[in-house]
Amino acid sequence: MKLATIRTLEGRTRAVRVDEDHLVDLGAADLGEFLATPGWEDRAVAATERVAEVRGAAYAPVVPHPGKIVCVGLNYRTHILEMGRDLPEYPTLFSKYADTLVGANDDIVKPPETTEFDWECELAVIIGAPVRRARGVEAEAAIAGFAVLNDVTCRDWQFRTREWLQGKNWEATTPLGPYLVTSDELPGGVRPTLEISTRIDGETVQKDTTGDLLFDPVALVEYVSTMITLRPGDVLATGTPGGVGHARKPARYLEAGQHLTTEIAGLGRCENTVVADLAAAELSS
């Protein structure tokens, strides 16, 4: 199944199932709320009320208000090597906040405080059941599905200190969507091997497969849930492959007006335009 959160004409959001040409209402305000109700899989299959056509759907972030967004740095072998680092023994983790999220077709807001605005296409894991210290089958069952994410990063802020949080948490910078795809639709299931890519104005700048992940989705659920309970709607961003702008020689960064396409085979794509934060620029002038 494909499940999503859409924006309605009344300015609200609704959780929907995305069928071939139409959307089916799931009876919840957003997908996070829907996943938090036991038996959501059966209810998603059984839903029948059509609410809109797929064409022209206004996608909100697939989970608009996740309780946690846990991100993994340096998790593709190609990206680790291009950044000049050794393969890590454990996942490198940091957090993002829900205010960073935008929908699959929303603008990405470039803050005036950065000159090093970089792209990072990622496979996002969406949690569908509460788990703590999950192992094996329990960790697999906790994965509701997968979506596309771009962890757009202010590199000059990221590397001000050894901790990365300040480079990763700028408002309205992180597309998540367009929908969640359940693992039964994907080759490899909860350990999918899918082509992942980023294009800027049509030029491919990242291309790899999720098979290059050092720590796969199940391993990440096991590791993170050891520390803290993962709950329905939580998001794990699994890291980016090689090809980021900061690692290029010379380095290359995003500018206002550029069109960013983040795509994972079987999961759809995010199509976003980079725009300047005009309100912030006026305040600083």
Side-chain angles (χ1 to χ4, degrees):
M1 292 182 290
K2 295 181 177 69
L3 309 176
T5 300
I6 61 165
R7 299 184 178 105
T8 69
L9 294 177
E10 297 77 23
R12 302 174 182 173
T13 60
R14 294 297 291 173
V16 296
R17 188 182 73 223
V18 182
D19 288 350
E20 186 173 345
D21 60 358
H22 60 272
L23 304 174
V24 177
D25 189 79
L26 295 178
D30 60 57
L31 198 55
E33 177 184 298
F34 182 72
L35 294 174
T37 58
W40 63 263
E41 299 99 328
D42 292 339
R43 292 193 298 110
V45 171
T48 59
E49 183 184 350
R50 296 189 181 193
V51 291
E53 301 294 317
V54 168
R55 181 176 295 179
Y59 290 107
V62 65
V63 181
H65 309 290
K68 292 181 284 296
I69 307 171
V70 181
C71 304
V72 185
L74 304 173
N75 197 25
Y76 281 80
R77 292 167 181 84
T78 53
H79 181 48
I80 295 167
L81 295 175
E82 77 173 355
M83 298 300 279
R85 298 173 182 256
D86 296 328
L87 297 181
E89 183 178 358
Y90 304 105
T92 300
L93 303 181
F94 59 92
S95 298
K96 291 179 78 78
Y97 304 124
D99 287 343
T100 65
L101 298 179
V102 296
N105 303 113
D106 294 341
D107 290 338
I108 294 170
V109 179
K110 180 180 182 294
E113 292 87 353
T114 185
T115 59
E116 299 182 359
F117 205 46
D118 203 356
W119 57 88
E120 291 193 4
C121 61
E122 306 202 13
L123 174 72
V125 181
I126 312 299
I127 300 299
V131 285
R132 180 77 197 279
R133 297 188 175 95
R135 293 293 180 270
V137 173
E138 185 185 13
E140 294 178 6
I143 296 174
F146 301 91
V148 180
L149 181 144
N150 199 320
D151 179 25
V152 175
T153 302
C154 298
R155 298 293 186 196
D156 38 5
W157 282 70
Q158 177 185 358
F159 296 118
R160 285 183 171 190
T161 69
R162 292 185 179 183
E163 301 296 333
W164 295 353
L165 184 140
Q166 70 267 24
K168 300 286 189 173
N169 277 281
W170 292 79
E171 194 159 324
T173 56
T174 305
L176 175 63
Y179 34 69
L180 174 158
V181 180
T182 53
S183 59
D184 58 313
E185 288 201 15
L186 303 173
V190 291
R191 295 179 176 87
T193 298
L194 308 170
E195 186 174 284
I196 179 170
S197 65
T198 300
R199 297 189 298 277
I200 299 174
D201 294 334
E203 176 192 354
T204 298
V205 292
Q206 287 185 288
K207 189 171 184 179
D208 206 330
T209 78
T210 58
D212 192 44
L213 283 169
L214 190 61
F215 303 102
D216 68 33
V218 177
L220 293 175
V221 171
E222 292 178 339
Y223 190 78
V224 177
S225 73
T226 301
M227 302 182 297
I228 194 166
T229 301
L230 289 174
R231 303 187 185 279
D234 285 349
V235 177
L236 305 182
T238 60
T240 195
V244 300
H246 190 74
R248 293 169 180 262
K249 299 187 184 304
R252 177 179 172 184
Y253 302 107
L254 293 166
E255 299 293 343
Q258 291 183 314
H259 187 75
L260 189 63
T261 303
T262 316
E263 184 168 10
I264 302 179
L267 303 184
R269 66 175 70 93
C270 295
E271 299 265 7
N272 308 94
T273 299
V274 180
V275 300
D277 189 337
L278 298 179
E282 290 176 1
L283 286 174
S284 61
S285 62

